[in-house]
Amino acid sequence: MINDSISAKGVRPAPVATMRRVEPEDLSRFEGEGGPEAPEQRIQDQRQPDPATWKEIVARYQRPAVWRGVWQVVNTLVPYAALWYLMSLSLAVSWWLTVPLAILAGGFLVRVFIISHDCGHGSFFRSRTANDILGFITGVLTFAPYYHWRWEHALHHATSGDLDKRGTGDIWTLTVQEYLESSRWKRFAYRLARNPVVLFVIAPLYVFIVKHRFPKSKANRRERDSVYWTNLAVFGMAAGLSWFFGITTYLWIQLVILMVAGSAGIWLFYVQHQFEGVYWERREEWDYTAAALKGSSFYKLPKVLQWFSGNIGFHHIHHLSPRIPNYHLEKCHKAEPLFQSVKPVTLFSSLKSFTFRLWDEQRCKLVGYGHLRNLRQGKKPQ
């Protein structure tokens, strides 16, 4: 979402570049069909696979399977609807039954969001029309306008790991020097935005309930209309469920579901790009392949959590090729040594991500606020 003169180099960082608009038609550039062209100077790690190698690998897994997609829709939307029905019955017994059902429904809503996410990448079904229809429906269920969200998410894929193009579809991340050169107000705002309570409890509700209700100024007509039509559909859904449950009961149930799903979703996204050993580079040295394999984590979750999160833990593969459906990601990972060489982030080790606050360009790693104290006291970094 925060003036000391301390600086490791004494040089101001390059300003954040202005984000150019990425149209939906540009999606193919980074949906597993090549991504942005790699710069002539490759990233230092000579073991980094060249595009020709990984393009050939991912092409084997990019073909959607209709039956797999249909089955995922059934085993996600049907239980989600059934949970709403069970919650209506449980209210006559006790809220102590309703709340656990709402929490479980929140887990299913994460899976609903993954389906919408895949539709946005054009990977869930072969048919673009089928993807768009399902994407809109699942977008309404998750309170996210399909076309508008797809456009913003496309920007995230095109710029992930690029220090000069931060600011769209990512977690607010400052470099150490940017933080030190910021005003007191900006530092306060940054610390507040990175506070776990704000980031994982308040922010998810704000994003899905408030932020998604308004289109960005740079959005085109279709993206704006997507927001308006989604708002209308969400209002209709809320009105219908309020009539069935009662407005107060519905609002409480929906709030619990959105809080669980939103917090889990933000945490997944956070860990996927804020982990030990993550990749960030300035534009002139940025590399698409390295940004995917090193800038996106392999979050190795227990099977039940992997299922609810729609295999999105295989994020390194997803960023390399968003055209691979979520139901093919695990198969791709297990079949290819290239992906198995990526060090996994486990559920336990991911907790360390709570301590990461800033990007240290000199050390090429994420650091905590304690690093700032070391700089002020002239201590050698650990």
Side-chain angles (χ1 to χ4, degrees):
M1 226 184 154
I2 287 200
N3 263 316
D4 294 326
S5 59
I6 301 173
S7 168
K9 285 187 174 181
V11 179
R12 292 185 62 86
V16 176
T18 302
M19 182 75 70
R20 83 168 184 85
R21 177 184 178 79
V22 176
E23 301 291 349
E25 289 73 17
D26 294 334
L27 286 170
S28 62
R29 293 196 306 104
F30 44 88
E31 287 187 340
E33 297 175 12
E37 292 185 2
E40 293 181 2
Q41 179 182 3
R42 304 300 296 169
I43 286 300
Q44 301 144 352
D45 189 349
Q46 297 301 315
R47 295 171 297 174
Q48 196 67 42
D50 61 84
T53 300
W54 64 256
K55 284 182 192 178
E56 181 181 356
I57 293 174
V58 300
R60 305 168 195 163
Y61 304 94
Q62 288 177 349
R63 190 175 182 83
V66 176
W67 70 271
R68 290 290 298 273
V70 170
W71 173 235
Q72 192 168 90
V73 170
V74 171
N75 66 31
T76 302
L77 297 188
V78 172
Y80 183 63
L83 283 168
W84 274 95
Y85 177 68
L86 290 175
M87 283 186 283
S88 71
L89 299 179
S90 69
L91 289 169
V93 181
S94 171
W95 269 93
W96 289 105
L97 290 178
T98 307
V99 172
L101 290 173
I103 292 173
L104 181 58
F108 274 95
L109 193 60
V110 173
R111 192 166 163 86
V112 172
F113 186 83
I114 295 300
I115 292 176
S116 182
H117 165 269
D118 274 19
C119 289
H121 283 299
S123 64
F124 198 75
F125 288 130
R126 298 178 190 177
S127 167
R128 179 173 181 174
T129 300
N131 282 319
D132 290 347
I133 292 174
L134 181 61
F136 176 79
I137 294 172
T138 50
V140 171
L141 294 176
T142 57
F143 287 52
Y146 173 67
Y147 286 112
H148 191 278
W149 182 86
R150 186 180 82 164
W151 164 57
E152 288 193 298
H153 191 62
L155 290 172
H156 163 66
H157 272 265
T159 60
S160 179
D162 187 337
L163 281 170
D164 291 321
K165 294 200 173 181
R166 287 163 287 166
T168 300
D170 54 16
I171 302 295
W172 188 15
T173 304
L174 292 178
T175 67
V176 170
Q177 184 156 342
E178 287 169 346
Y179 179 88
L180 293 173
E181 294 177 350
S182 296
S183 65
R184 290 183 181 275
W185 167 247
K186 186 174 182 179
R187 292 187 199 180
F188 170 76
Y190 185 76
R191 283 180 176 265
L192 183 64
R194 302 280 298 205
N195 180 281
V197 175
V198 174
L199 188 58
F200 302 115
V201 179
I202 299 174
L205 293 177
Y206 166 75
V207 169
F208 287 98
I209 296 176
V210 180
K211 183 175 181 289
H212 282 332
R213 307 283 68 81
F214 304 94
K216 284 197 169 183
S217 59
K218 293 183 179 180
N220 67 16
R221 179 64 180 274
R222 181 173 65 174
E223 291 147 4
R224 286 174 173 272
D225 287 347
S226 174
V227 174
Y228 303 142
W229 282 109
T230 299
N231 288 348
L232 184 61
V234 167
F235 177 79
M237 177 180 68
L241 290 172
S242 294
W243 173 82
F244 184 80
F245 285 92
I247 186 169
T248 302
T249 300
Y250 162 70
L251 289 176
W252 276 110
I253 291 175
Q254 187 69 81
L255 187 65
V256 171
I257 292 174
L258 283 177
M259 184 175 293
V260 171
S263 297
I266 294 294
W267 170 252
L268 285 169
F269 186 81
Y270 179 82
V271 172
Q272 287 159 357
H273 299 286
Q274 304 269 326
F275 60 95
E276 191 165 27
V278 71
Y279 170 97
W280 284 90
E281 284 290 351
R282 292 290 177 182
R283 164 52 55 171
E284 63 272 13
E285 296 180 350
W286 182 85
D287 175 68
Y288 180 83
T289 307
L293 295 179
K294 296 181 179 180
S296 304
S297 67
F298 164 32
Y299 197 15
K300 191 174 183 180
L301 293 167
K303 282 296 183 180
V304 64
L305 296 182
Q306 181 184 324
W307 188 88
F308 276 109
S309 60
N311 298 311
I312 201 63
F314 297 97
H315 213 59
H316 55 308
I317 303 175
H318 171 65
H319 262 262
L320 195 62
S321 176
R323 291 302 296 269
I324 298 178
N326 76 80
Y327 45 78
H328 286 337
L329 288 174
E330 183 175 17
K331 179 181 178 182
C332 180
H333 175 83
K334 289 182 175 180
E336 302 298 339
L338 168 64
F339 303 129
Q340 294 174 22
S341 65
V342 175
K343 183 180 179 180
V345 175
T346 65
L347 190 61
F348 179 75
S349 66
S350 69
L351 298 179
K352 188 174 182 179
S353 292
F354 277 120
T355 66
F356 297 139
R357 299 289 186 265
L358 301 160
W359 176 255
D360 187 334
E361 287 193 79
Q362 283 66 50
R363 299 166 68 197
C364 293
K365 64 183 295 185
L366 289 167
V367 297
Y369 295 129
H371 178 66
L372 301 176
R373 292 193 295 271
N374 292 335
L375 287 177
R376 292 189 179 98
Q377 296 171 7
K379 292 181 180 180
K380 185 177 180 181
Q382 298 298 316

